[in-house]
Amino acid sequence: MYKSDIEIAQSVETLPITEIAKKAGIDEKYIEQYGRNKAKVDLSLLNENKNEDGKLILVTAITPTPAGEGKTTTTIGLSDGLSRIGKKTCVALREPSLGPVFGIKGGAAGGGYAQVVPMEDINLHFTGDFHAIGAANNLLAAMLDNHIYQGNSLNIDPRRITWRRCVDMNDRQLRFVADGLGGRVNGVPREDGYDITVASEIMAVLCLSSSIDDLKQRLASIIVGYTYDEKPITAGDLKAQGAMAALLRDALKPNLVQTLEGTPAFVHGGPFANIAHGCNSVMATRMAMKLADYTVTEAGFGADLGAEKFLDIKCRFAGLKPNAVVIVATVRALKMHGGLPKTELANEDLEALEKGIPNLLRHVSNIKDVYGLPAVVAVNRFPTDTDAEIDLIINKCRALGVNTVLSTVWAEGGKGGEELAREVVRLCEEKSEFRFCYETDEPLEEKIRKIVTRIYHGSDVSFLPAAKKQLDKLTALGYSNCPVCMAKTQYSFSDDPTKLGAPEGFTVTVRNVKISAGAGFVVALTGDIMTMPGLPKSPAAERIDVDSDGKISGLF
């Protein structure tokens, strides 16, 4: 009988975090311990460590399906595999949000024998980063509404407020609210709403900041609304950036934990991959690269969203250049892309697999041809996968000049990732010419069009009147040189989640555009992207419990 993820995690004796720090080459003076097996690392390490940066490996995936791909599991298993073959390695991951933990997914710290631990802490309150981000977000909201109540000297139009409150929980009841009710002393009545904390712009700001000074500057640039004559109002206008940065001082420091096999792991930050850039913090990635010869990190959802934003936004801002890319796929998910129902995925079906493989091949082609990076396909093997199905994937990828490696890290941990690790080491020595999908000096419309045609392989973009108006306004305000962050469904290359596989000839409709001035990117909204999810009919929270000894169960 299989053990659950949490049972596996609780059965492993972890090392004290001071030993993990020593293994990573971190002096004790930089460590701020949170109990026995968690710590924050002081930012001064980045300035005082004179090591050359190590290699950077990005793990991404095919377009996700309900069948699962195992991207985080592969990322952790690969890092343990690299450690097992004698390479000094760190892994850098995002922090899970409480919303999905209690909603559909349960835990999000890897799976099987490829996990970061302590998984209960990582999945719940951890070191309090998300609470600090929520507090900073809501402080700004409180200062904004208080300014209006106290006389509104900045002439803010309450109907044009764009800043929303947040809470790190899936709560559809809070998507749209009316507040300030109950009479004059209780505020100014207006329509308002909540986002989940990971959708807050402050999350994106924290993850892209390179120092406390950069954090304060980005916070001051956040646009919270507009005046009656449509001029932008910023957090700096409200004099909020200093107090917000004070709340975020400790949250900016990367969190150090470990894998089940004792590989040092930074778990820090977690912006939505739909409406933000979907990667862990720049600070954590840089710190890992200073300490390790090989840093393994991941980006959210499929390569059309997570990898595109990692490369075009995070790498551009942080001056990073990946040395290799791993694209994770499963036979099960590819068969779903080929039209096979979820109930039939355990059966061999070469026809459905062949119809679904173009999804994988398109992601591979994008990484190699658009971004100029060496890539390997990691097939996360399930017991029901047949040799004929595996051979079909290998042969199709070989035609593109890309190797395919079987990964069994869920069942075997680092041992199941050794072959993938050796291929990654080989790829890191290949010459590559990393390039972006677009240049920042191109018009915003052209950047969006290039992402749609070059990455999604759509035929064109349709801009609705509201989007056209906003593009003109943002250009006039001086934001045309910002990178573009596409808010799009994760379930399809197109903006229609029902179009699986590798659709062609479609038009992506941009319905609106907004500026995340603190983060430094323009968000193009397509489809119906939810910034405050709801709980399902049977939420994961119903199955999570804690016994009289304090032992948590049900987190997967």
Side-chain angles (χ1 to χ4, degrees):
M1 183 177 175
Y2 286 119
K3 288 183 178 179
S4 68
D5 289 347
I6 193 168
E7 287 171 337
I8 291 170
Q10 290 171 344
S11 71
V12 174
E13 185 66 35
T14 58
L15 295 170
I17 199 62
T18 49
E19 287 192 33
I20 296 298
K22 188 176 179 181
K23 186 175 183 178
I26 304 172
D27 192 281
E28 279 191 29
K29 69 180 181 180
Y30 299 113
I31 291 292
E32 299 172 14
Q33 285 186 243
Y34 280 63
R36 179 182 179 275
N37 48 19
K38 306 186 295 290
K40 280 193 169 288
V41 183
D42 194 83
L43 301 180
S44 60
L45 172 68
L46 277 171
N47 297 324
E48 295 171 16
N49 186 307
K50 303 304 180 185
N51 294 345
E52 290 288 318
D53 287 349
K55 308 285 188 183
L56 179 61
I57 299 120
L58 171 66
V59 179
T60 184
I62 61 171
T63 303
T65 70
E69 291 68 53
K71 179 159 43 76
T72 304
T73 303
T74 302
T75 303
I76 297 164
L78 169 59
S79 68
D80 283 336
L82 285 162
S83 295
R84 285 176 66 96
I85 65 171
K87 305 300 181 184
K88 189 176 182 184
T89 309
C90 276
V91 61
L93 300 167
R94 293 180 296 168
E95 297 179 50
S97 163
L98 289 179
V101 166
F102 291 120
I104 296 175
K105 290 179 67 176
Y113 288 88
Q115 296 187 57
V116 282
V117 284
M119 74 93 83
E120 308 98 303
D121 296 12
I122 292 167
N123 280 306
L124 298 176
H125 302 285
F126 201 20
T127 57
D129 294 346
F130 283 21
H131 300 301
I133 290 165
N137 182 104
N138 295 335
L139 170 65
L140 179 55
M143 291 180 72
L144 169 61
D145 280 310
N146 183 62
H147 179 89
I148 296 171
Y149 175 78
Q150 299 291 356
N152 198 9
S153 62
L154 290 173
N155 203 33
I156 300 167
D157 184 348
R159 298 164 303 175
R160 291 190 173 93
I161 289 173
T162 56
W163 194 250
R164 289 162 62 91
R165 288 164 166 82
C166 75
V167 61
D168 193 32
M169 196 63 64
N170 289 1
D171 191 349
R172 65 172 57 82
Q173 198 75 10
L174 295 177
R175 286 174 190 161
F176 302 99
V177 300
D179 53 24
L181 307 180
R184 187 179 64 83
V185 297
N186 294 314
V188 178
R190 69 177 182 89
E191 293 183 0
D192 201 353
Y194 281 74
D195 292 332
I196 193 166
T197 300
V198 288
S200 169
E201 186 181 343
I202 292 176
M203 175 66 82
V205 163
L206 180 122
C207 288
L208 290 170
S209 295
S210 58
S211 64
I212 287 180
D213 289 341
D214 183 38
L215 173 69
K216 285 171 65 175
Q217 186 174 348
R218 287 176 177 274
L219 291 171
S221 301
I222 291 173
I223 292 175
V224 297
Y226 295 85
T227 63
Y228 284 101
D229 51 357
E230 298 194 10
K231 292 178 181 174
I233 295 293
T234 66
D237 294 328
L238 294 165
K239 302 181 178 64
Q241 71 271 26
M244 292 164 70
L247 282 169
L248 297 167
R249 181 194 64 173
D250 291 331
L252 189 60
K253 300 170 185 176
N255 306 301
L256 180 67
V257 287
Q258 61 191 288
T259 70
L260 288 176
E261 299 185 15
T263 299
F266 288 103
V267 179
H268 192 222
F272 252 23
N274 290 108
I275 55 96
H277 60 293
C279 320
N280 70 283
S281 75
V282 166
M283 302 296 276
T285 303
R286 279 186 168 157
M287 203 169 274
M289 291 175 70
K290 281 291 181 192
L291 296 166
D293 296 327
Y294 293 86
T295 292
V296 187
T297 191
E298 68 169 345
F301 296 138
D304 58 316
L305 278 176
E308 186 272 314
K309 293 171 184 179
F310 179 90
L311 298 168
D312 282 319
I313 296 176
K314 179 175 176 177
C315 288
R316 196 191 303 264
F317 281 145
L320 301 173
K321 178 186 173 184
N323 298 92
V325 178
V326 178
I327 302 165
V328 181
T330 61
V331 169
R332 294 164 55 86
L334 290 172
K335 287 193 287 193
M336 276 200 84
H337 278 294
L340 201 65
K342 188 177 179 180
T343 54
E344 298 176 24
L345 296 178
N347 304 322
E348 180 179 277
D349 193 323
L350 296 177
E351 183 180 352
L353 181 59
E354 183 141 16
K355 286 180 182 176
I357 282 178
N359 182 274
L360 168 62
L361 299 183
R362 180 174 291 180
H363 288 299
V364 171
S365 175
N366 285 346
I367 295 298
K368 283 176 59 67
D369 300 335
V370 177
Y371 294 107
L373 293 169
V376 57
V377 171
V379 177
N380 187 16
R381 187 160 194 175
F382 281 68
T384 54
D385 300 344
T386 67
D387 289 343
E389 289 173 328
I390 298 294
D391 288 344
L392 181 58
I393 295 175
I394 290 171
N395 291 332
K396 290 287 185 180
C397 291
R398 189 178 290 146
L400 284 178
V402 172
N403 284 342
T404 302
V405 176
L406 297 185
S407 168
T408 56
V409 297
W410 184 89
E412 298 184 290
K415 181 183 176 184
E418 286 186 25
E419 185 183 351
L420 179 60
R422 292 188 185 93
E423 176 63 9
V424 163
V425 169
R426 187 189 70 80
L427 283 179
C428 285
E429 300 309 316
E430 281 192 7
K431 283 188 176 181
S432 63
E433 295 183 6
F434 173 51
R435 51 190 174 267
F436 299 117
C437 175
Y438 56 83
E439 298 303 322
T440 52
D441 58 1
E442 297 177 70
L444 290 170
E445 277 193 40
E446 185 58 25
K447 293 171 197 169
I448 294 168
R449 187 166 279 108
K450 280 193 172 179
I451 293 171
V452 169
T453 57
R454 301 188 73 193
I455 305 301
Y456 307 161
H457 295 245
S459 58
D460 202 3
V461 186
S462 173
F463 294 94
L464 296 185
K468 278 272 194 187
K469 181 181 177 182
Q470 198 64 13
L471 283 168
D472 292 342
K473 184 175 183 178
L474 293 178
T475 300
L477 288 171
Y479 293 112
S480 62
N481 282 342
C482 291
V484 168
C485 182
M486 297 294 289
K488 180 184 77 70
T489 177
Q490 66 267 36
Y491 295 117
S492 174
F493 273 107
S494 73
D495 54 357
D496 179 353
T498 65
K499 290 182 178 176
L500 303 183
E504 295 180 340
F506 58 87
T507 297
V508 169
T509 300
V510 176
R511 57 182 178 83
N512 211 336
V513 178
K514 69 171 190 172
I515 179 66
S516 291
F521 51 66
V522 169
V523 181
L525 296 147
T526 74
D528 188 19
I529 300 301
M530 193 70 67
T531 55
M532 171 52 81
L535 293 173
K537 189 170 184 178
S538 178
E542 293 178 355
R543 295 171 288 282
I544 296 171
D545 201 0
V546 57
D547 67 16
S548 56
D549 294 322
K551 187 175 182 181
I552 292 172
S553 60
L555 264 178
F556 244 41

